Amino acid sequence: MIETIQWIDDCVVMIDQTRLPVEEKYVHCRTYQEVATAIRDMIIRGAPAIGVAAAMGVALGVLRTPDEAVDGQFETICETLARTRPTAVNLFWAIDRMKRLYGSVRAQPVGEIRRRMIEEALRVREEDIAICRAIGRNGEPLVPAERTILTHCNAGALATAGYGTALGVIRAAVEAGKNVDVFADETRPFLQGARLTVWELQQDQIPTTLITDNMAGHFLKSGRIGCVVVGADRIAANGDVANKIGTYSVAVLAKENNVPFFVAAPISTLDLTLASGDQIPIEERAAVEVTHVFGQQVAPEQSRVENPAFDVTPSRYVSAIITEKGVARAPYEDSLRKLAG
Amino acid sequence: MIETIQWIDDCVVMIDQTRLPVEEKYVHCRTYQEVATAIRDMIIRGAPAIGVAAAMGVALGVLRTPDEAVDGQFETICETLARTRPTAVNLFWAIDRMKRLYGSVRAQPVGEIRRRMIEEALRVREEDIAICRAIGRNGEPLVPAERTILTHCNAGALATAGYGTALGVIRAAVEAGKNVDVFADETRPFLQGARLTVWELQQDQIPTTLITDNMAGHFLKSGRIGCVVVGADRIAANGDVANKIGTYSVAVLAKENNVPFFVAAPISTLDLTLASGDQIPIEERAAVEVTHVFGQQVAPEQSRVENPAFDVTPSRYVSAIITEKGVARAPYEDSLRKLAG
């Protein structure tokens, strides 16, 4: 069985998601800088998984820093990890959680600080798996039986510590005995759908069909899709959802064809400090991700490229937001605030 | 300067569109069977270009068949070329045109038949360039200045004998002095946008930005796109448009964001025998086009794949259809029939 991210022998060990499915290779991070690089280079990706990686990165930084330097270095460790990717809020949520703990233990002996930081990072990971299971339980009743579920990108075990958010809902539907199959958008440019979603659903023997992103509309129009389920990288107070580029298109096409569009995400993905999705920073990534595929050139040299990694789906296209604490529906200002407690 | 398709020394010569932009390689077809294979393998593609190739293929077949066998072989030649690709109606239109000519000259000496068939195929090519120029002239006034034009797939010089349909409209806008730039969807799985549209617009120094298909919605929402222009493979009597997979999605997203959506195509793309787009046959292509890019595996082995090469955009999403004879608007039943004469 594949593990997305683990703490082994005082290293952070991740499966290299840039190489899947061609190669199942693990990356061992020995320093917090290596964790930061792994997040930036998308060796690990997916909002909840990034949160776990950041928490482990902070713990690793504290572990590797000489006793006398820990207090001086702590902010640098956190900042380095925070500067890796701007959109997924789980990154900042996890770092804040580690900072709060640090604040409460910094007066203690360094050995004790280290022990507590590692323990907390492991707890973030364990909680994430439990949260995904709860999201699955809460989302499963929304999934129509005997139909096809469309998903975009990878919001699966590989995007979390395990089980997945959107794919957690699908797994829960299968576990509940529903006869469903999955259509996976390939999700250019990084091909998370083709490379990761198809691969991990194959492991679970959930019947999955790969399509290119531009086929989603055609199949939504065809009537065979019963619902869409995707993950999220950040959700604003009004229910606007930042998620992998292309999510907005799928949401519009779902609404146009009267297909329910569900977002599955942990409460840590909520950013209630933002009134709307317009305020969510959208990461722009390198042109080479679009012009090359696994190193193979697919566009002319010197192509001008735009490569926003995310888009924002206005909440009017979102049928429900599925969290570990329950299902939110419009008006989201109220329902999300209630769930967040 | 690159030529899409030419008749040289009694060969049909095409630039190999499966290799662009990495390699500028010409394929020389010496038999009609080689032309058929070139069409099927997408060495040449684009509805009008396929029409020219089919006409030349018929002429080549007649040219290479021994005198006494021409009349017996003629149907086989036409059928072989007709069985290559099912969706673009220009293929059948061109073959029918060659059949009509053949019917009118079959009593003449074989040398004269051959001369007339070749002459007709060359005329189909020349007319296609003139038609594209006229489409450009007719479409140019619809293009807003100082804005970005979004296009999908390649409906350019490479999809025609030259100048292009959708890209003909863009070229005409640039020639009219309008300051515009282009966003090109990469158009998976065959990447006609990335490989062909970006490449040919670069040759003309028209500023072009490459995006993945799933970014089109994001940029349509952003307000920077002034209009969408695409080509067509077949247009039904009610104005429903079959075009490259993903066109339907772009059309819905354009409408949702109040961006005009134009289709540019020659009259030969109309199929007034079909009441609606539901009756247009949609080609399903091989899974390997989705699972591999230039031979590089991008999805797990044994992935189940759907690969419809086209979709149908209902006419309610189409702001206008631009032809060489003028611009049709809804209700299309009337306007298209009038243009077709």
Side-chain angles (χ1 to χ4, degrees), chain A residues 47-48 89-90 93 232-236 242 265-271:
Chain A
V89 77
N90 314 60
W93 167 87
D233 288 82
R234 196 184 297 214
I235 301 173
I267 292 288
S268 57
T269 308
L270 300 181
D271 185 352

Side-chain angles (χ1 to χ4, degrees), chain B residues 9-10 13 37-38 118 130 133 150 169 236 244 281 292 314:
Chain B
D9 296 338
D10 291 341
V13 181
T37 301
I118 293 169
R133 294 257 172 201
L150 175 68
V169 171
K244 182 51 52 195
H292 289 68

Side-chain angles (χ1 to χ4, degrees), chain A residues 37-340:
Chain A
T37 301
I39 296 172
R40 188 179 297 109
D41 294 348
M42 296 174 69
I43 285 167
I44 192 163
R45 32 61 53 199
I50 289 173
V52 176
M56 287 190 178
V58 172
L60 193 62
V62 170
L63 177 68
R64 291 273 188 269
T65 304
D67 287 14
E68 65 286 3
V70 166
D71 211 52
Q73 280 294 302
F74 188 75
E75 266 306 315
T76 305
I77 294 167
C78 291
E79 265 172 39
T80 303
L81 288 158
R83 271 198 309 266
T84 50
R85 299 197 67 194
T87 304
V89 77
N90 314 60
L91 177 75
F92 310 106
W93 167 87
I95 293 169
D96 282 348
R97 179 165 163 171
M98 297 301 280
K99 277 185 182 172
R100 276 198 308 279
L101 174 69
Y102 185 77
S104 75
V105 299
R106 67 187 290 192
Q108 298 185 21
V110 176
E112 177 64 8
I113 294 175
R114 290 196 179 111
R115 196 186 62 74
R116 292 289 300 277
M117 298 299 282
I118 294 169
E119 188 185 81
E120 186 74 357
L122 294 178
R123 191 176 296 127
V124 170
R125 179 178 179 280
E126 290 311 308
E127 284 176 9
D128 188 60
I129 299 173
I131 286 167
C132 287
R133 294 257 172 200
I135 289 172
R137 277 194 303 278
N138 292 338
E140 178 276 307
L142 302 181
V143 175
E146 309 293 331
R147 297 295 294 281
T148 299
I149 306 164
L150 175 68
T151 189
H152 186 72
C153 195
N154 174 271
L158 289 164
T160 61
Y163 201 70
T165 51
L167 298 196
V169 171
I170 293 171
R171 287 193 165 95
V174 171
E175 287 162 17
K178 287 183 180 170
N179 183 24
V180 294
D181 72 315
V182 178
F183 266 40
D185 288 351
E186 66 173 4
T187 318
R188 283 279 289 147
F190 200 68
L191 294 166
Q192 292 95 333
R195 299 193 303 101
L196 309 178
T197 295
V198 172
W199 182 82
E200 75 163 87
L201 292 179
Q202 275 187 355
Q203 315 282 309
D204 281 7
Q205 291 164 317
I206 297 173
T208 304
T209 301
L210 172 63
I211 59 172
T212 60
D213 301 303
N214 58 19
M215 293 174 191
H218 173 72
F219 287 108
L220 282 161
K221 177 156 80 82
S222 77
R224 72 170 287 172
I225 310 292
C227 71
V228 180
V229 191
V230 299
D233 288 82
R234 196 184 297 214
I235 301 173
N238 70 343
D240 290 355
V241 175
N243 191 44
K244 181 52 51 194
I245 188 72
T247 302
Y248 163 71
S249 296
V250 176
V252 169
L253 288 156
K255 181 159 197 172
E256 187 76 4
N257 291 286
N258 300 309
V259 175
F261 179 87
F262 301 124
V263 173
I267 292 288
S268 57
T269 308
L270 300 181
D271 185 352
L272 301 184
T273 68
L274 302 185
S276 88
D278 301 342
Q279 300 162 264
I280 299 174
I282 299 297
E283 177 182 11
E284 179 80 20
R285 292 187 63 87
V288 71
E289 288 185 358
V290 174
T291 58
H292 290 67
V293 175
F294 274 103
Q296 168 66 53
Q297 182 190 343
V298 297
E301 302 285 355
Q302 271 97 44
S303 295
R304 190 193 301 203
V305 169
E306 294 262 2
N307 187 13
F310 304 93
D311 60 25
V312 174
T313 300
S315 60
R316 65 180 177 278
Y317 300 105
V318 179
S319 309
I321 297 174
I322 304 160
T323 77
E324 71 273 28
K325 293 201 187 161
V327 175
R329 296 200 182 253
Y332 290 103
E333 280 84 355
D334 300 339
S335 58
L336 289 178
R337 211 165 285 276
K338 260 181 218 151
L339 283 186

